[in-house]
Amino acid sequence: MEKRYFQPEYETMPLDELKKLQDEKLVRQVKRVYENVKYYRDLMDKKGVKPEDIKGVDDLHKLPFLKKDDLREAYPCGLLAAPKTECVRIQSTSGTTGKRVVAFYTQHDVDLWEDCCARALVAAGGNEDDVCQVCYGYGLFTGGAGLHGGSHKLGSLTLPMSSGNTERQIQFMMDLESTILCCTPSYAAYIGETLKEKGYKPEDNKLRIGIFGAEPWTEEMRRDIENNLGIKAYDIYGLTELSGPGVAFECEEQRGMHINEDHFIAEVINPETGEVLPVGEKGELVFTSLDKEAFPLLRYRTRDICILSREKCSCGRTFIRMTKPLGRSDDMMIIRGVNVFPSQIEAVLLNSGYAPNYQIIVDRVNNTDTFDINVEMKEDDFSDIPINITNKEKALQGAMKTMLGINPKIHLVAPKSIERSEGKAVRIVDKRKRLGINV
Ligand code: DLL
C-alpha cells in the first residue's frame, strides 16, 4: 500500500506550529534536566542560566554546550535524567580512552527512536508489505536495533541479519525476497559486487530500496550501488548520543536529509567560537533532544560539519534538511562504519610497550575500507627473527581489535622509519579523500 508519511501530523506540520511545539517541549525539557541532572545543572549554574531564562527556541543559545568529553566525564550514569530502574536499554559507541559513551533509553525513548526509523523507511517508499533485511550490526551499535525497531513499527517483515556472512545474506535475500536493504553503504556495495560475481543480474533480486548510513559516502557510490542492486538508495543519519539512526533521513527528492524536528532542534555553530550561524552557513551541527527521558542531551556538539536548508521540499515535509556530513571537526575516523580515534590506537601501542610512532593508512578498495597501521619497532625487536615479528604483529592486531572493534593490518616497521614532523605529526593518511569522500 502506498504511504507517504509515517506520522504526517508531525512530518508536515506548518512551521509556526512546529516552532510552538519546540518552544513548549524545550521549556519542559530544560526544567527536567536542570532538576534531574546535576552535571548539566552545574554547567548552567556556571554560565548563570536558570530554567526560567529559557522561554523557547530563541533562548536556546543561552544554554551551555555538551561535548563528547562531558559524556566521558559523566560516564556511565552522570547524565541520566531518569532513574536507572526506569531504563530498559543501553546502546553504546566507541570512545577514545576505552571508556565508551553509553546512552540510556526508557521504553518511551525506544518508541520515539523506532518512530524516527519508521519515518525514514516510509520516506524512502517502504510499507507494511515490504521485507526488510537489516544487516547493520546488532548489539551495542545502534544501527541494527534502530532499523529493526523501525521496520517492526511499520509492520514490514523484518530479517534481523546483523552484518557479515555475506553468503547467508544473499541466500536470505533471494529466498525470502527482501525488498529493503539496511546496512552501511560500503557493505551494500560489497553485497552488490558479490551478487555480480555470483552471476546475478540486478533484476534477479526483489530489492527496491536501500537505507544506508553511519559512514560518509558519495553520490558516485550511490549510483554504483543503485545500478548494481537495481534499487533506489537513501541516506540516513544519526548518532548514538541522540538515539541512533533516524535523527535525519532522505525523502524521494534525495536532496539532503530531513531532521526530525519535533524531537530534535538543530543548530549550526562556528566550531572555533561556538557562535550560532545563520541557516545556510557551513558549521558544526549541534542537537538538542526535546523528548528523550533517560538521556536528554541539550546542545550536544556532534563534531559533524554540515549545512542546513529551509528550502521547501516537494515531498511535503516541513522539517529542515541537512547536507551529508561534509567532514568532522575532530580527528574521528569512520572505518567500515566503526568510529575510530587515533588516541585509542595510541593507548593500545603504549599499553603494549611500543612508542607512539605510528601512521594510520585508510583507503577504500572495491568499496571496502582498508585499514593499515605502520608501527615502529623498538630497537631490540628490530633484530628479531621474522616469525617473532609476525607473532608480535598478530598480538598487536588482537589488542587493536579488542579496543576498536575492527581489525587493522599491523605492519611493524624499522625504528625511525616513520617520517618525523616538525609540526603536527601526520598520523592519518586517509586516501579515501581521492574518491571525494568527506572524511
Ligand atoms: O552511526 C548511527 C547510525 C546507524 C546512523 C545506522 C545511520 C545508520 P554512531 O556510531 O554513534 O552512530 O556514529 C555517529 O557517524 O556523528 C557521523 O559522523 C557518522 N554518520 C552517521 N550517519 C552518517 C551518514 C551511528 N549518513 C557518527 N553519513 C556521526 C555520514 C554519518 N556520516
Side-chain angles (χ1 to χ4, degrees), residues 133-158:
Q133 181 159 350
V134 183
C135 21
Y136 285 111
Y138 278 62
L140 287 171
F141 178 55
T142 54
L147 271 309
H148 179 102
S151 168
H152 264 242
K153 281 254 165 151
L154 183 55
S156 308
L157 174 60
T158 311

Side-chain angles (χ1 to χ4, degrees), residues 308-381:
L308 297 176
S309 163
R310 268 279 172 223
E311 205 187 309
K312 208 166 170 208
C313 187
S314 64
C315 78
R317 285 177 186 77
T318 46
F319 292 160
I320 202 163
R321 274 178 290 176
M322 60 177 273
T323 57
K324 278 176 182 297
L326 304 169
R328 292 193 46 93
S329 62
D330 62 6
D331 56 0
M332 184 178 98
M333 297 170 283
I334 304 181
I335 306 174
R336 293 179 218 139
V338 177
N339 305 347
V340 174
F341 291 88
S343 50
Q344 289 175 300
I345 292 171
E346 218 162 293
V348 174
L349 292 180
L350 293 172
N351 282 339
S352 314
Y354 292 89
N357 293 323
Y358 65 97
Q359 198 159 48
I360 303 162
I361 298 144
V362 189
D363 201 352
R364 194 166 282 179
V365 180
N366 296 332
N367 287 313
T368 303
D369 290 336
T370 60
F371 178 22
D372 293 76
I373 310 176
N374 294 334
V375 181
E376 279 187 10
M377 279 182 264
K378 291 172 289 179
E379 293 287 350
D380 301 352
D381 293 338

Side-chain angles (χ1 to χ4, degrees), residues 237 257 267-272 277 281-286 301-308 322-330 438-439:
Y237 169 88
M257 293 177 271
E267 299 170 275
V268 161
I269 62 161
N270 175 331
E272 308 296 327
L277 300 174
E281 281 191 30
K282 183 167 148 182
E284 182 183 337
L285 196 51
V286 174
R301 292 184 59 161
T302 62
R303 316 305 282 176
D304 288 317
I305 302 293
C306 86
I307 302 171
L308 297 176
M322 60 177 273
T323 57
K324 278 176 182 297
L326 304 169
R328 292 193 46 93
S329 62
D330 62 6
N438 290 312
V439 290

Side-chain angles (χ1 to χ4, degrees), residues 24-170:
E24 284 164 16
K25 286 186 176 186
L26 181 66
V27 170
R28 210 176 338 145
Q29 187 72 304
V30 171
K31 189 163 174 286
R32 252 193 96 239
V33 170
Y34 191 83
E35 282 166 7
N36 295 297
V37 184
K38 181 179 177 310
Y39 190 94
Y40 199 76
R41 178 164 65 242
D42 288 348
L43 289 181
M44 281 177 65
D45 287 346
K46 211 165 133 199
K47 216 172 170 226
V49 198
K50 292 278 170 239
E52 309 78 81
D53 299 329
I54 309 299
K55 301 202 169 59
V57 179
D58 296 340
D59 295 321
L60 189 60
H61 68 276
K62 296 178 183 165
L63 290 171
F65 290 118
L66 271 176
K67 294 191 188 150
K68 201 154 197 154
D69 281 346
D70 292 304
L71 270 56
R72 285 193 197 107
E73 210 171 296
Y75 173 91
C77 297
L79 287 163
L80 259 185
K84 209 162 108 193
T85 47
E86 280 177 25
C87 297
V88 297
R89 174 95 66 81
I90 66 145
Q91 303 283 164
S92 170
T93 181
S94 48
T96 58
T97 57
K99 263 193 193 173
R100 290 166 164 263
V101 168
V102 177
F104 291 80
Y105 305 70
T106 61
Q107 186 55 52
H108 161 271
D109 297 338
V110 173
D111 266 344
L112 171 161
W113 174 26
E114 293 178 351
D115 284 345
C116 288
C117 289
R119 289 179 187 179
L121 287 163
V122 173
N127 63 50
E128 60 271 36
D129 299 333
D130 275 300
V131 178
C132 184
Q133 181 159 350
V134 183
C135 21
Y136 285 111
Y138 278 62
L140 287 171
F141 178 55
T142 54
L147 271 309
H148 179 102
S151 168
H152 264 242
K153 281 254 165 151
L154 183 55
S156 308
L157 174 60
T158 311
L159 273 48
M161 303 295 296
S162 198
S163 54
N165 203 337
T166 309
E167 293 284 325
R168 192 176 62 190
Q169 301 280 4
I170 290 174

Side-chain angles (χ1 to χ4, degrees), residues 120-272:
L121 287 163
V122 173
N127 63 50
E128 60 271 36
D129 299 333
D130 275 300
V131 178
C132 184
Q133 181 159 350
V134 183
C135 21
Y136 285 111
Y138 278 62
L140 287 171
F141 178 55
T142 54
L147 271 309
H148 179 102
S151 168
H152 264 242
K153 281 254 165 151
L154 183 55
S156 308
L157 174 60
T158 311
L159 273 48
M161 303 295 296
S162 198
S163 54
N165 203 337
T166 309
E167 293 284 325
R168 192 176 62 190
Q169 301 280 4
I170 290 174
Q171 192 184 344
F172 272 73
M173 178 187 292
M174 293 299 174
D175 294 351
L176 292 159
E177 305 191 324
S178 305
T179 52
I180 303 181
L181 183 68
C182 305
C183 58
T184 57
S186 42
Y187 194 46
Y190 182 70
I191 292 177
E193 275 157 21
T194 312
L195 280 169
K196 215 171 172 181
E197 273 166 27
K198 287 183 175 296
Y200 287 110
K201 291 197 260 332
E203 56 275 22
D204 293 337
N205 72 64
K206 292 275 188 296
L207 290 174
R208 54 189 199 92
I209 295 167
I211 307 284
F212 306 137
E215 65 181 5
W217 54 311
T218 58
E219 286 305 317
E220 290 72 39
M221 206 166 156
R222 176 176 351 231
R223 273 194 296 277
D224 270 3
I225 298 173
E226 289 188 336
N227 291 338
N228 281 347
L229 290 172
I231 60 170
K232 231 178 143 183
Y234 294 85
D235 204 352
I236 182 166
Y237 169 88
L239 54 162
T240 315
E241 295 91 319
L242 291 175
S243 56
V247 171
F249 59 85
E250 263 185 348
C251 64
E252 68 227 21
E253 262 214 14
Q254 297 185 309
R255 283 204 309 129
M257 293 177 271
H258 289 283
I259 295 172
N260 279 307
E261 278 190 288
D262 54 332
H263 298 311
F264 306 103
I265 303 176
E267 299 170 275
V268 161
I269 62 161
N270 175 331
E272 308 296 327

